[in-house]
Amino acid sequence: MQINQAPAGPGGSTGAGRGDLVVNQDDLGAVGNEAFILHDHLRRQADIAGAGMDKNGSGSSMQAAASLKGHNFGLGSALETTVSMWDSQLKTLLQACAHISNHLDYSKALHANDEDQIAASLRQRNGEAVPASRLNEYFK
């Protein structure tokens, strides 16, 4: 795979003779794990709408907005809008982190299964399995 027309190396291929995109299982797991950690961190620490919740379920920021509005301060409506927008954006970001984490966990398992199936069906002369990342070598 060439990105932005990377200069071709000797023999017309990129880099060290490999033009394919290779992703290691450890890479997928590491990125998925970081997305999970970010999701957990954001969920616990970025929730300003629910922070300091009262018995009615209103967070301290919304309580402040209501109090300001009750005293005819324009800042009350602005704070209420800000908290609502923050909450909406936070939920979107949490969903994205969860999607990335879940997708990479799924991809890691799926690719490991693909590797196992290819290894079981494709053998070298000495009987050892051929990894999927080396399949391109057989088409030259």
Side-chain angles (χ1 to χ4, degrees), residues 30-44 101:
V31 173
N33 186 56
E34 289 299 319
F36 177 79
I37 290 168
L38 179 59
H39 178 276
D40 188 51
H41 183 74
L42 286 170
R43 184 185 53 77
R44 286 186 285 112
S101 178

Side-chain angles (χ1 to χ4, degrees), residues 19-40:
D20 59 341
L21 177 63
V22 177
V23 177
N24 296 315
Q25 300 301 326
D26 292 342
D27 296 337
L28 293 175
V31 173
N33 186 56
E34 289 299 319
F36 177 79
I37 290 168
L38 179 59
H39 178 276
D40 188 51

Side-chain angles (χ1 to χ4, degrees), residues 33-130:
N33 186 56
E34 289 299 319
F36 177 79
I37 290 168
L38 179 59
H39 178 276
D40 188 51
H41 183 74
L42 286 170
R43 184 185 53 77
R44 286 186 285 112
Q45 297 186 4
D47 182 16
I48 64 170
M53 200 174 290
D54 65 8
K55 63 183 176 195
N56 297 323
S58 182
S60 59
S61 296
M62 288 303 255
Q63 293 170 39
S67 179
L68 288 167
K69 282 173 66 173
H71 289 88
N72 296 320
F73 283 98
L75 182 61
S77 293
L79 180 58
E80 189 176 78
T81 300
T82 301
V83 172
S84 295
M85 290 299 295
W86 177 269
D87 190 48
S88 173
Q89 293 296 313
L90 177 62
K91 287 177 181 174
T92 300
L93 184 56
L94 287 170
Q95 288 173 347
C97 288
H99 180 73
I100 290 167
S101 178
N102 292 340
H103 180 72
L104 289 176
D105 286 345
Y106 172 78
S107 295
K108 181 178 177 182
L110 181 66
H111 291 301
N113 186 43
D114 289 346
E115 282 281 340
D116 290 344
Q117 287 181 356
I118 291 169
S121 64
L122 186 61
R123 300 280 176 189
Q124 297 179 35
R125 288 184 190 142
N126 64 3
E128 291 180 13
V130 175

